[in-house]
Amino acid sequence: DVKVTQSSRYLVKRTGEKVFLECVQDMDHENMFWYRQDPGLGLRLIYFSYDVKMKEKGDIPEGYSVSREKKERFSLILESASTNQTSMYLCGWGRDRDGYTFGSGTRLTVV
Amino acid sequence: GESVGLHLPTLSVQEGDNSIINCAYSNSASDYFIWYKQESGKGPQFIIDIRSNMDKRQGQRVTVLLNKTVKHLSLQIAATQPGDSAVYFCAERSKGGGNKLTFGTGTQLKVEL
């Protein structure tokens, strides 16, 4: 099975800091994505990547950017963290014949 | 915009009973649906999926039913166990939407002993 690893389970950052969330998959899959999860709102797509250096905005890309320099690694970047970006961030990869796999998530708190 | 919603935020069942979790979707162009289970502190775990050309699919103790006429999806769990306690999400993928999924807000399943 493909394993998706997120670099941190918990992070606490200050407002205005630049934050990097890392996600690594152990197979050579093209599609990777970042969602955030908030109570009452479910999972919302931030960014999606179809391949190296390719990205597509999701439903809530504002305040975020991404980097995909290698196929196995997809990074989410908060250029200037704000308190409304406190959330659970979920990374994964997907294709419909295999379903969509998620990592364990990174709970980010911005103070 | 399109939305995927759940009828009940919390469902309580007795151990051994069958559970039914419902999901309504509004995008008639959706062609693929997934149910996920999420336990506390973990990421969503894939349970079962179904394509729009099917109306039923069975797994181990789980069955997904799809009614395209009323845009309704359900997850049935047979002989519910304490380990089934979790939040369950449905998700849909639209034709032409790439591989992006739209999720519902989730239903909390509580199994009472």
Side-chain angles (χ1 to χ4, degrees), chain B:
Chain B
E2 305 299 344
S3 65
V4 176
L6 293 170
H7 294 302
L8 295 174
T10 303
L11 176 65
S12 295
V13 298
Q14 293 290 323
E15 182 180 6
D17 286 353
N18 295 335
S19 302
I20 300 176
I21 301 172
N22 296 304
C23 179
Y25 66 95
S26 58
N27 186 355
S28 57
S30 293
D31 64 347
Y32 177 62
F33 304 86
I34 306 175
W35 279 101
Y36 285 93
K37 172 186 180 183
Q38 187 175 27
E39 297 173 285
S40 181
K42 297 182 179 180
Q45 176 186 2
F46 175 93
I47 302 173
I48 191 168
D49 59 359
I50 188 168
R51 298 186 185 280
S52 59
N53 61 354
M54 303 171 67
D55 54 19
K56 181 179 180 179
R57 190 161 188 230
Q58 289 184 293
Q60 187 175 14
R61 279 202 309 120
V62 294
T63 300
V64 55
L65 299 178
L66 176 62
N67 185 330
K68 294 181 289 295
T69 302
V70 295
K71 298 190 186 67
H72 185 267
L73 191 69
S74 69
L75 177 70
Q76 300 179 0
I77 304 173
T80 310
Q81 302 169 0
D84 294 328
S85 293
V87 176
Y88 290 81
F89 294 93
C90 64
E92 63 172 326
R93 186 195 67 183
S94 300
K95 285 181 183 177
N99 285 311
K100 295 179 287 186
L101 296 179
T102 300
F103 286 82
T105 54
T107 293
Q108 174 77 55
L109 176 65
K110 295 184 178 180
V111 181
E112 298 172 349
L113 303 178

